[in-house]
Amino acid sequence: MRIENNVVIDKVSKDLIILRYNDTSTKYFEALWEIPEGVTYNAYLLIDDDTAILFDTWKKGLENDFLNALSSIIDIRDLDYVVIHHMEPDHSGSIKTLYERNPGITFIGHPMTSKLMRNLYGISPKFRAVKDNEILSTKNYQLVFIHAPWLHWPETMFTYIPPQIKALMTCDVFGAYTIPKSVFIDELSDEYISSMRKYFANIIGFYKDNVIKNLDKVLAVTKGSIEIIAPAHGAVIKGNLVNKAINLYREFALKTPVNRKIVIAYSSMYGFVDGIMSHVAHVLGDGGFNVSIYKFTDKERASIGDLIGEANNALGIVLGVSTYDTEPFPLMDYIINLLIKKLKGGKPVLLITDYGWGGDVVLRHVKTRLEKAGFTVIDAISVNGIPTKEDLDKIDIALQSLKQALTQ
Ligand code: FEO
């Protein structure tokens, strides 16, 4: 393995090389998700006899680093094909520069890809649009291009490389936010699973209905014979971890509850909601639930990316929403929108709102939105400032109902 200036070059298997960039400077992935843990961009290069095929590149802005890394392995003029699994610029960022250096390259992708190349990079290189399951044969390999639409763009596709390597390249799917110490992981640790789940929920969550469909299709095409999963973010997965990763992805897509997890998310401007939620967390923790708290106060602002990731496989969610300008506190409004968009319901929710003046308009507004999106609102309680004894009794009854709903 070679590591230099955030660049990792290593062999994945015979004839297949990874070119990885460890991105420690992007603070917000997609200009949206907090990633203090960093992220990698993984491109792969297959050199089979006299055929050289590159799979994806790195993020836009890293063109020079990418070309330097690639040139340290191969003369770019010898590159025959560039396979584009997905046109989002964290993977396609160097295609224009590659084309300028070697106009003879044939780019390979989903039929929609050529239009995106024109629209995003202003180029129209030699392009082979591949049908679903179309094969490209090299001397020793038979590359199968598998359309995997909406994971997470319509033009997404995977490449399967039998017979010797049996690697499946999956672009964003099976990716993770993390900078692994080595190219492969030895185990799917809880920490690594959290990184995968966060990536899934943030990036692919909206399209989760397509995950099972595409996984089943890929398993049929490959006859389940996959020895390596090579994603475009995070670690390469091999051996007996492959099936575990596939099962995990089903768990993510189905939002299967794990670890008796309850996510509590709330805003508190002056401590009123904070006090209520401390009580809620205490009661649920004592009830044997594994509580994760995400708070938005004058002292701290939790990671919304982590929140969405954990909520995806939580048993239930408790939301505490303060009132701001007669509406839900803006950050909670945003979080509720993301929960609706990425999770699409299917979780029990306990909702508690707090207001200073006015009435319970926020409560009704948020409750309606959640129910319309398919969440089950176990109870919705509106508190006016400091909770009264009556409010606290109502909250305790609601917590009993939540615990009952979660243990059924
Ligand atoms: Fe990692 Fe959808 O790009």
Side-chain angles (χ1 to χ4, degrees):
M1 179 163 76
R2 278 161 48 200
I3 308 181
E4 217 176 285
N5 299 330
N6 289 351
V7 174
V8 178
I9 297 177
D10 203 356
K11 224 169 188 172
V12 171
S13 68
K14 187 176 174 289
D15 304 326
L16 189 65
I17 295 162
I18 182 170
L19 296 94
R20 188 178 99 183
Y21 188 84
N22 297 341
D23 181 356
T24 52
S25 55
T26 295
K27 287 174 75 176
Y28 303 101
F29 193 73
E30 292 188 331
L32 185 60
W33 306 105
E34 313 89 337
I35 50 162
E37 58 273 67
V39 68
T40 72
Y41 311 111
N42 309 340
Y44 298 90
L45 179 68
L46 180 74
I47 302 177
D48 181 23
D49 200 40
D50 59 353
T51 307
I53 306 174
L54 177 71
F55 302 87
D56 301 314
T57 67
W58 296 341
K59 189 183 177 184
K60 198 172 172 198
L62 295 171
E63 292 87 334
N64 287 340
D65 299 274
F66 184 72
L67 260 66
N68 287 339
L70 187 60
S71 303
S72 72
I73 310 168
I74 187 176
D75 188 325
I76 287 162
R77 287 168 301 184
D78 292 336
L79 199 55
D80 300 291
Y81 299 100
V82 175
V83 176
I84 300 176
H85 289 125
H86 170 35
M87 273 297 290
E88 191 162 6
D90 55 329
H91 307 292
S92 64
S94 298
I95 59 172
K96 184 175 184 204
T97 317
L98 281 171
Y99 170 57
E100 286 164 354
R101 290 281 192 94
N102 178 357
I105 293 172
T106 298
F107 288 80
I108 292 176
H110 184 280
M112 289 181 75
T113 298
S114 58
K115 186 168 181 281
L116 283 164
M117 290 171 89
R118 228 176 13 255
N119 293 345
L120 301 187
Y121 295 99
I123 57 170
S124 298
K126 246 194 283 180
F127 182 72
R128 174 170 164 181
V130 286
K131 295 193 192 80
D132 197 13
N133 297 334
E134 189 167 325
I135 288 172
L136 171 71
S137 297
T138 63
K139 188 170 178 223
N140 293 297
Y141 301 101
Q142 289 208 307
L143 281 63
V144 187
F145 302 111
I146 306 167
H147 291 186
W150 300 111
L151 294 182
H152 63 120
W153 279 18
E155 91 303 6
T156 318
M157 65 174 206
F158 298 166
T159 302
Y160 178 55
I161 315 183
Q164 291 107 318
I165 301 181
K166 295 200 172 77
L168 181 71
M169 292 181 204
T170 55
C171 206
D172 282 325
V173 181
F174 299 105
Y177 292 126
T178 179
I179 298 188
K181 286 194 181 67
S182 54
V183 166
F184 293 98
I185 35 165
D186 299 327
E187 56 162 343
L188 286 168
S189 62
D190 288 348
E191 193 186 351
Y192 197 81
I193 291 170
S194 292
S195 312
M196 282 177 82
R197 182 186 293 122
K198 179 180 171 185
Y199 191 84
F200 167 86
N202 292 181
I203 308 302
I204 299 173
F206 182 71
Y207 302 99
K208 53 170 55 80
D209 295 347
N210 296 286
V211 170
I212 304 288
K213 221 184 297 175
N214 279 303
L215 281 181
D216 287 344
K217 176 177 152 183
V218 165
L219 288 174
V221 173
T222 60
K223 299 187 174 61
S225 183
I226 303 166
E227 288 172 6
I228 294 171
I229 292 177
H233 301 289
V236 178
I237 297 164
K238 69 173 176 180
N240 63 359
L241 298 185
V242 166
N243 279 338
K244 284 187 185 166
I246 291 170
N247 290 337
L248 262 179
Y249 241 71
R250 288 188 193 279
E251 192 178 284
F252 297 165
L254 296 171
K255 298 176 287 187
T256 311
V258 293
N259 304 332
R260 288 178 65 76
K261 170 74 64 187
I262 296 182
V263 167
I264 298 180
Y266 67 90
S267 58
S268 190
M269 294 155 68
Y270 299 107
F272 296 106
V273 181
D274 199 35
I276 295 169
M277 287 298 156
S278 296
H279 174 71
V280 167
H282 199 72
V283 170
L284 292 174
D286 283 352
F289 295 98
N290 181 11
V291 172
S292 287
I293 299 173
Y294 292 86
K295 51 172 108 166
F296 300 85
T297 70
D298 59 346
K299 295 193 179 54
E300 66 180 275
R301 187 171 290 191
S303 160
I304 294 173
D306 285 356
L307 189 170
I308 299 295
E310 281 216 271
N312 190 75
N313 288 89
L315 256 178
I317 300 169
V318 181
L319 297 174
V321 186
S322 40
T323 304
Y324 190 90
D325 287 346
T326 71
E327 290 181 354
F329 185 77
L331 284 171
M332 287 308 294
D333 204 30
Y334 171 59
I335 288 161
I336 290 160
N337 271 341
L338 282 175
L339 286 170
I340 288 171
K341 190 174 169 72
K342 300 293 184 178
L343 265 64
K344 301 183 169 187
K347 302 271 177 201
V349 174
L350 169 60
L351 173 65
I352 301 171
T353 61
D354 200 316
Y355 65 94
W357 46 267
D360 62 356
V361 59
V362 167
L363 185 83
R364 282 183 276 119
H365 177 60
V366 175
K367 182 174 184 278
T368 305
R369 270 160 71 198
L370 289 168
E371 285 176 338
K372 215 167 143 194
F375 290 94
T376 306
V377 178
I378 299 290
D379 208 342
I381 297 166
S382 181
V383 176
N384 186 192
I386 304 169
T388 59
K389 165 85 175 61
E390 197 186 25
D391 290 329
L392 289 172
D393 287 346
K394 271 198 231 166
I395 289 168
D396 282 339
I397 290 168
L399 286 168
Q400 286 309 323
S401 305
L402 180 68
K403 287 199 275 186
Q404 263 169 21
L406 300 182
T407 41
Q408 271 167 11

